[in-house]
Amino acid sequence: MRVKRYVVDSMPDALQKIRTDLGKDAVILNTKEIRSGGFLGMFGKKKIEVIAAVDGTAAAGGTSPKPAAPKPAPAKAQPQAAAARAAPVAMLEHDQLEFPEVPDVLPPVQQSLKIREHAPVRKELPPESTAAASQAGVYTPPKPAPVKSREDLLFEELRQMREMMNKLALQNGGESNANLVPAIRQRLIDHEVDPALIDTWIDRAKVEAEELAEPFTESFASRSIRLQIADILKSNGRKSIAPETKIAHFVGPTGVGKTTTIAKLAAEQVLKHRRKVGFITSDTYRISAVEQLKTYANILNVPLEVVFSPQDLLKAFDALKDCDLIFMDTAGRNFRNEMYVSELNALLRSQGDSETFLVLSMTTKYKDMKAITGNFTKFKLDKVLFTKMDETDSFGAVVNLVHDFGLQLSYAANGQNVPDDISVVDEQAIIDLIMEELPDE
């Protein structure tokens, strides 16, 4: 038996070569799909491997070469196999052999699979015929895979290359988003933005880039993060003192500038909005605190009431009943002492519409800001006001606080001049300060 192996692009090519080399009596022993060429085992082109054979007598044109001695059958071989192996096998000359001698191990029924001239290798059979053929052990070669066009192959190779590059990127530098956008991440860390929040923003920016099929660059990440910060800082209500507000309470730790802030806002209400304003102060713990507010009251020509306990509030409200707006200055107490905070909450009882402003200094560490806000939020807090904006280069605490506690932004003070150095918070200005020197186009 003469056996030969072919590697071709399609079955028609294989049939043509088999007919040319082995003749029309050749038998296909096996077919399978393989890959050849490519780079490091990838991107190889699909081909079909075909093993064909022809009886030695047919290949020699009817002449009968010298038969070889029959090989003894193994002791445990099946009867059919023993009978088949007992038949003489024709041998070719050594220079004509392409493979070592192969015994006839195929069942006799497989001889019906000889290649016919002008006929396909495998003919489609009805389902019942296919099942019967399978039970009878007839060999049916599998259908050859459809040949892809050059364009399909090109797209497939590009897709595989992209997957490979993504894997390499993850292995070499994908352990941290910091390797992808170092300038943005470092800038946000310098502004003391919560690192977990930074990772969330960068991850979301990467997802947006993939959805839009755009390259994930620093410019793209910067635009995405700006929008995400704006979404956190967006105002759901009025930032300034509402026209219907009758009492505005100001609470916060010591040294944040509550009294000066009250003077600035009172001057704005008197000079700009022409409202009649009054002062109440309970800050009797700090030396000269009452005198400081009394000085501002004299300059603005507004009344001032001093209370020493919650019981004095009713008298103070009655004395200022003709005022359109009352500013209440509370004492700065140790925010870690819950008893002091509870005492302060007792002073926040008021008559009519009121708003409570938490006053925080931008020079305070965010860890302390978070603790302060956590204690005060046990009671009624409406808005947050930041002071000393001009004394810091770090503004990430504003974003952290709004994200963690959901407080409404109100005013930002950036100096000690009364009444000039205070304004309503501009979210876009905060974003520009945080994202300074980063590409946004």
Side-chain angles (χ1 to χ4, degrees), residues 358 360 366 369-370 373 384 386 396-407:
L358 173 63
L360 296 173
Y366 179 67
M369 277 192 192
K370 190 173 182 179
T373 308
V384 59
F386 292 98
V398 177
V399 182
N400 295 341
L401 196 74
V402 175
H403 176 267
D404 291 343
F405 295 95
L407 293 177

Side-chain angles (χ1 to χ4, degrees), residues 201 226-237 239 386 395-403 407-409 425-432 434:
W201 292 343
R226 282 176 179 271
L227 293 176
Q228 293 180 65
I229 297 177
D231 187 60
I232 293 175
L233 298 181
K234 67 180 180 182
S235 298
N236 297 320
K239 290 182 283 188
F386 292 98
F395 303 94
V398 177
V399 182
N400 295 341
L401 196 74
V402 175
H403 176 267
L407 293 177
Q408 168 70 51
L409 292 173
V425 169
D426 182 354
E427 294 90 344
Q428 192 58 49
I430 298 293
I431 296 173
D432 291 340
I434 294 175

